[in-house]
């Protein structure tokens, strides 16, 4: 327990629940539905609208052994290979064995997947998969359909939710157990301003942190809030150096920033070719699966070719699909390309890697439990050990389904615990905030120093630049006023520092972590995980595990917390407020 919290006003309102779920993607909504079905009072808190998280942007689909001749064992093998020696095998085994039934329950909830001519689920292939096992919806709009079905179920079952709410920090009782969250509701509605949801179980499902880089496929809300909250609360973060850069993102220019249009791996799964400016297929001979090699291999090959030829992008050629296939199978991608003046039917599509997915995050066990009692994590914010050093394509939605159900089962089995008295963090450790203008500086620093290509020199420069920002915020004259933009920017700085600290430590190339100065994989020294935690004096401590297996998630010893004189505590009598 660090006792560190963001600089924010004291909560002016509160509500009471058994479980608060932070995030409204596939992981968060699945956890909320299962907890509600078990009779638990559940509140969903989401940063934008219920349907505006990263899930809706998922184009490819959900990977599961649903096809004829496919087995969970084959799915496990492909996942372990993609993870480059760092997958936690028990976690992967849980994913692939429970995955097919989890998908069937999603279908029962109301999700509609594309069907083959015989009425079975239509399946395709993506990078790293040796079988056609990717279920998709609306051609290339799987995430949108999954989100639609889950949001509709949430509304139908009367689950309480708070939209446009940025979660700030974890509340704990005097025993060090989770007691809820503080949050800020943006704009006017049922609640506005800073408040609190009191609950003995908190599920973080806040998604990714792609906005820490200048160019990403992530939506603007993906600012690493969940990882930053968990770190301040005393939880352990692991494998954050393994950020997956999607190989084929629509290239909009070297100066383009923010969310970039994704060109799904499923396009290559259906037979599109990667070519250079001369039309040469450069993936042939580099991997047995060529364009369908795992994402880290494809992203590295594209980057190498760009460096060799002095170009800013490569091309994805799928002209041989014809207009009908483009319109029926990939309507979303076709529309995005044409909106930017590119017609995939008649010309190759310019593509380049961009930040896409965080394979690491808040360290959990097989039940989604973190090192903070009562705090759970699932989806992209979590590090379950499933992805290892590189996520296998379309395992992310499946991970959200499977581990959200496991979390709900664990909470239900143990029941809500309210044994301690509400407490507040030591207000002498309020975290100073960055000015919102620093966001672009954080992003530029990370893109230059910790992007696809890394080295000791680039990472040291990035660490020094981030440290200057941190120190600047600690000088009272430079600290920003509390607000959404300054909170988000401060969270981005937090996750950037963790990522760079781990990347500097890992002196090898493995999965999607590519060190120019250490180009080889080193199993003897580095087939192990890096775990990062924050000390009460705001230092990041990086430790190595003994081997590739994760150690048990052992709750940190609680530290008694007492309010500091002159600072108002959070409301100590939780009550339900109706609007």
């Amino acid at each position: 327990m660090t006792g560190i919290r963001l600089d924010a006003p004291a909560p002016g309102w509160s509500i009471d629940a058994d479980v608060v779920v932070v995030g409204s993607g596939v992981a968060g909504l699945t956890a909320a539905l299962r907890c509600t079905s078990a009779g638990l009072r559940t509140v969903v808190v989401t940063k934008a609208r219920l349907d505006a998280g990263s899930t809706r942007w998922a184009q490819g689909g959900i990977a599961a052994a649903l096809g004829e001749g496919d087995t969970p064992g084959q799915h496990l093998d492909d996942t372990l290979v993609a993870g480059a020696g760092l997958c936690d095998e028990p976690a992967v085994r849980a994913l692939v064995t429970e995955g097919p039934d989890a998908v069937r329950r999603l279908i029962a909830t109301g999700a509609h997947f594309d069907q083959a001519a015989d009425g079975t689920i239509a399946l395709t292939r993506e990078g790293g998969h040796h079988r056609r096992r990717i279920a998709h919806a609306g051609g290339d709009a799987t995430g949108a359909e999954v989100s639609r079905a889950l949001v509709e179920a949430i509304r139908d079952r009367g689950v309480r939710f708070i939209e446009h709410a940025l979660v700030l920090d974890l509340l704990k009782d005097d025993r060090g157990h989770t007691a809820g969250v503080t949050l800020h509701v943006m704009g006017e509605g049922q609640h506005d301003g800073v408040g609190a949801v009191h609950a003995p179980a908190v599920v973080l499902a806040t998604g990714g942190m792609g906005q820490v880089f200048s160019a990403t496929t992530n939506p603007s809300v993906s600012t690493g809030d969940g990882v930053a909250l968990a770190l301040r609360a005393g939880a352990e973060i692991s494998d954050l150096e393994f950020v997956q850069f999607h190989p084929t993102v629509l290239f909009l220019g070297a100066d383009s920033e923010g969310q970039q249009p994704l060109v799904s791996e499923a396009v290559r799964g259906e037979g599109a070719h990667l070519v250079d400016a001369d039309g040469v297929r450069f993936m042939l001979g580099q991997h047995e699966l060529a364009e369908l090699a795992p994402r880290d291999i494809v992203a590295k090959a594209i980057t190498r070719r760009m460096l060799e030829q002095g170009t800013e992008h490569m091309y994805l050629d799928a002209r041989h699909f014809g207009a009908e296939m483009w319109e029926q199978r990939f309507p979303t991608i076709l529309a995005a390309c044409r909106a930017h003046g590119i017609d995939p039917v008649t010309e190759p599509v310019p593509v380049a890697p961009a930040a896409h997915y965080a394979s690491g995050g808040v360290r959990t066990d097989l039940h989604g439990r973190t090192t903070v009692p009562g705090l759970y994590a699932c989806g992209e914010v979590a590090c379950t050990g499933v992805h290892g050093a590189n996520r296998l394509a379309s395992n992310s939605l499946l991970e959200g389904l499977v581990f959200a159900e496991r979390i709900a089962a664990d909470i239900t089995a143990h029941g809500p615990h309210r044994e301690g008295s509400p407490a507040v963090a030591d207000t002498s450790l309020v975290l100073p905030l960055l000015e919102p203008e620093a966001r672009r500086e954080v992003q530029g620093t990370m893109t230059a120093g910790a992007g696809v290509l890394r080295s000791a020199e680039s990472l040291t420069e990035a660490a020094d630049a981030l440290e200057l920002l941190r120190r600047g915020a600690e000088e009272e004259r430079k600290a920003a006023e509390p607000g959404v933009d300054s909170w988000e920017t401060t969270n981005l700085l937090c996750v950037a520092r963790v990522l760079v600290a781990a990347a500097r430590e890992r002196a090898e190339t493995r999965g999607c972590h590519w060190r120019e100065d250490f180009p080889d994989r080193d199993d003897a020294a580095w087939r192990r995980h890096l775990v990062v935690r924050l000390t009460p004096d705001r230092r990041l401590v990086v430790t190595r595990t003994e081997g590739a297996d994760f150690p048990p998630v052992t709750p940190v010893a609680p530290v008694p917390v007492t309010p500091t004189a002159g600072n108002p505590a959070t409301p100590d009598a939780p009550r339900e407020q109706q609007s």
Side-chain angles (χ1 to χ4, degrees):
M1 185 169 178
T2 67
I4 299 173
R5 66 177 178 86
L6 290 173
D7 185 5
W13 54 269
S14 66
I15 60 177
D16 194 32
D18 295 322
V19 183
V20 56
V21 177
V22 187
S24 60
V26 62
L29 295 185
T30 299
L33 285 172
R34 298 294 178 265
C35 287
T36 299
S37 297
L40 298 174
R41 291 176 304 158
T42 305
V43 174
V44 175
V45 176
T46 185
K47 197 173 177 182
R49 300 185 316 276
L50 273 181
D51 63 352
S54 292
T55 290
R56 67 183 288 242
W57 298 101
Q59 295 174 343
I62 302 180
L66 297 165
E68 182 71 28
D70 197 5
T71 65
Q74 294 176 65
H75 190 182
L76 181 142
D77 289 342
D78 286 345
T79 301
L80 295 180
V81 169
L86 281 186
C87 292
D88 184 69
E89 188 164 337
V92 178
R93 197 170 298 281
L95 178 83
V96 299
T97 55
E98 297 173 21
D101 283 343
V103 173
R104 295 182 185 104
R105 283 188 288 273
L106 178 62
I107 293 171
T109 301
H112 301 290
F113 289 91
D114 296 339
Q115 295 185 343
D118 61 0
T120 60
I121 296 175
L123 301 172
T124 190
R125 278 182 69 194
E126 291 185 356
H129 293 272
H130 284 79
R131 289 275 189 175
R132 296 181 73 91
R133 66 167 67 97
I134 316 300
H136 49 84
D140 58 358
T142 308
E145 171 58 19
V146 169
S147 180
R148 179 207 63 78
L150 291 173
V151 168
E152 190 173 297
I154 286 286
R155 294 182 186 276
D156 287 347
R157 298 180 194 184
V159 180
R160 184 166 187 171
F161 57 87
I162 304 173
E163 296 180 304
H164 305 290
L166 171 63
V167 169
L168 301 174
D169 279 301
L170 193 73
L171 293 172
K172 294 183 181 181
D173 62 24
D174 58 359
R175 298 162 60 93
H177 194 285
T178 293
V181 293
T182 56
L183 65 158
H184 174 82
V185 179
M186 299 168 268
E188 298 181 1
Q190 294 183 45
H191 306 285
D192 59 85
V194 175
V197 180
H198 295 277
V202 172
V203 181
L204 291 179
T206 52
M209 56 179 207
Q211 289 291 326
V212 78
F213 294 96
S214 298
T216 177
T217 63
N218 289 191
S220 60
V221 295
S222 298
T223 51
D225 307 316
V227 168
L229 176 152
L231 193 70
R232 290 192 296 271
E236 293 179 348
I237 311 301
S238 189
D239 293 358
L240 212 63
E241 68 270 34
F242 297 116
V243 175
Q244 189 175 75
F245 285 75
H246 198 288
T248 53
V249 175
L250 185 62
F251 182 76
L252 301 179
D255 298 326
S256 59
E257 296 180 342
Q259 186 177 10
Q260 312 286 301
L262 178 67
V263 182
S264 171
E265 199 150 309
V267 177
R268 281 175 281 139
E270 296 292 350
H273 302 146
L274 280 167
V275 299
D276 61 19
D278 299 321
V280 176
R281 285 184 64 188
F282 55 88
M283 284 304 300
L284 293 176
Q286 295 207 31
H287 190 276
E288 61 171 330
L289 296 176
E291 282 89 356
L292 286 177
R295 287 178 178 175
D296 64 307
I297 293 172
V298 180
K300 290 172 187 174
I302 291 174
T303 302
R304 284 195 190 98
R305 199 68 157 195
M306 287 162 50
L307 291 172
E308 290 170 3
Q309 299 190 339
T311 59
E312 296 176 324
H313 61 82
M314 291 287 108
Y315 292 93
L316 190 65
D317 192 351
R319 290 174 292 179
H320 54 284
F321 284 6
E324 183 177 357
M325 181 173 175
W326 268 110
E327 290 165 0
Q328 292 183 1
R329 181 67 179 85
F330 301 111
T332 306
I333 298 170
L334 178 64
C337 289
R338 285 177 170 171
H340 290 283
I342 301 160
D343 189 351
V345 177
T346 60
E347 60 186 316
V349 178
V351 293
H356 182 56
Y357 191 90
S359 294
V362 185
R363 191 168 80 83
T364 73
D365 64 8
L366 292 179
H367 303 284
R369 295 177 292 217
T370 73
T371 53
V372 176
L375 178 64
Y376 297 80
C378 59
E380 190 173 355
V381 70
C383 181
T384 62
V386 160
H387 304 308
N390 183 48
R391 174 179 67 101
L392 181 65
S394 288
N395 267 356
S396 50
L397 292 180
L398 189 71
E399 183 195 30
L401 282 175
V402 169
F403 284 87
E405 292 187 341
R406 283 179 155 251
I407 286 173
D410 191 74
I411 294 173
T412 302
H414 293 91
H417 292 281
R418 286 187 175 90
E419 298 177 359
S421 301
V424 292
D426 182 350
T427 50
S428 65
L429 292 176
V430 170
L431 190 65
L433 304 176
L434 264 68
E435 292 286 355
E437 293 76 19
R439 178 169 178 153
R440 291 187 68 180
E441 190 171 348
V442 172
Q443 293 170 328
T445 295
M446 293 300 290
T447 297
V452 178
L453 283 172
R454 302 167 179 173
S455 67
E457 181 180 2
S458 74
L459 290 166
T460 298
E461 289 176 356
D464 291 345
L466 296 174
E467 178 63 14
L468 283 176
L469 285 173
R470 185 183 74 86
R471 289 183 180 178
E474 290 186 351
E475 297 178 16
E476 188 174 346
R477 60 185 174 84
K478 293 185 178 180
E481 292 296 319
V484 173
D485 291 339
S486 57
W487 288 322
E488 284 187 335
T489 304
T490 303
N491 285 338
L492 283 173
L493 175 64
C494 175
V495 297
R497 291 181 63 223
V498 175
L499 192 162
V500 169
R504 292 179 77 185
E505 183 79 8
R506 184 172 290 280
E508 67 159 354
T509 290
R510 180 186 298 270
C512 48
H513 172 65
W514 186 6
R515 287 282 298 262
E516 292 180 281
D517 46 348
F518 294 97
D520 299 320
R521 171 171 157 176
D522 183 356
D523 279 350
W526 288 107
R527 191 164 180 256
R528 60 192 68 206
H529 301 273
L530 294 176
V531 177
V532 183
R533 60 183 178 84
L534 185 67
T535 65
D537 60 356
R538 302 176 190 167
R539 291 183 301 108
L540 293 176
V541 176
V542 184
T543 57
R544 303 186 198 181
T545 62
E546 292 296 323
D549 294 334
F550 269 124
V553 170
T554 304
V556 293
V559 177
V561 178
T562 55
T564 298
N567 278 283
T570 52
D572 56 9
R575 62 188 183 279
E576 187 79 12
Q577 291 188 354
Q578 301 293 337
S579 300

